[in-house]
Amino acid sequence: MTSQGAPALPGGAAGSGAPRALPPAAERGATVIPDKVVARIAARAAREALHGQAGTTRTELAAPRASVAVAGGSARLGLALDLPYPADLAGTARQVQHYVGERVAQLTGMKVTEVTLTIEHLVPSGGRAHRRVQ
């Protein structure tokens, strides 16, 4: 006895116990991550990388801003941020670039081809309130 109106399953008769094969992954679709989301992930990763650098706290540094250009599964990132001072600025910048590139690649599955930094301010280790010349 068959039921009328039962949907036919691909690759088999309606109601048959045979497993159906899925189409190849390339034909099933793709996950699309908007550029704005990738930029927010990059900014958050930069904040994580800077947390606790050279005696500064997260609240002393302005929130990093990020821009992104995504094409063909690759991302180019631009970051504008404050860095703690005194510190090894070149070393800190390299560490931030590496961490952000790795973290964005890990969370999005994209290949990060470039991470550029724009240093907006150098923030003294005592914070912005202690800017007195000695």
Side-chain angles (χ1 to χ4, degrees):
M1 187 164 152
T2 62
S3 63
Q4 296 289 336
L9 297 174
S16 71
R20 58 182 179 171
L22 291 175
E27 294 176 14
R28 285 184 279 186
T31 300
V32 177
I33 303 172
D35 292 3
K36 185 176 180 178
V37 173
V38 178
R40 289 187 72 168
I41 291 169
R44 177 70 176 253
R47 195 174 8 212
E48 290 171 4
L50 289 171
H51 181 62
Q53 288 284 327
T56 60
T57 63
R58 185 176 289 191
T59 58
E60 293 171 345
L61 299 175
R65 294 185 327 265
S67 61
V68 65
V70 177
S74 297
R76 291 181 19 215
L77 306 173
L79 294 169
L81 48 92
D82 292 352
L83 287 182
Y85 183 82
D88 174 14
L89 298 177
T92 302
R94 278 191 302 274
Q95 185 262 333
V96 169
Q97 286 175 307
H98 178 73
Y99 183 84
V100 170
E102 292 290 319
R103 191 76 170 130
V104 170
Q106 178 186 37
L107 292 173
T108 64
M110 294 179 181
K111 178 181 177 185
V112 177
T113 58
E114 180 180 10
V115 179
T116 58
L117 297 182
T118 300
I119 300 170
E120 298 283 324
H121 299 100
L122 296 177
V123 179
S125 60
R128 291 182 184 266
H130 299 87
R131 290 188 174 184
R132 195 177 101 216
V133 177
Q134 296 179 352

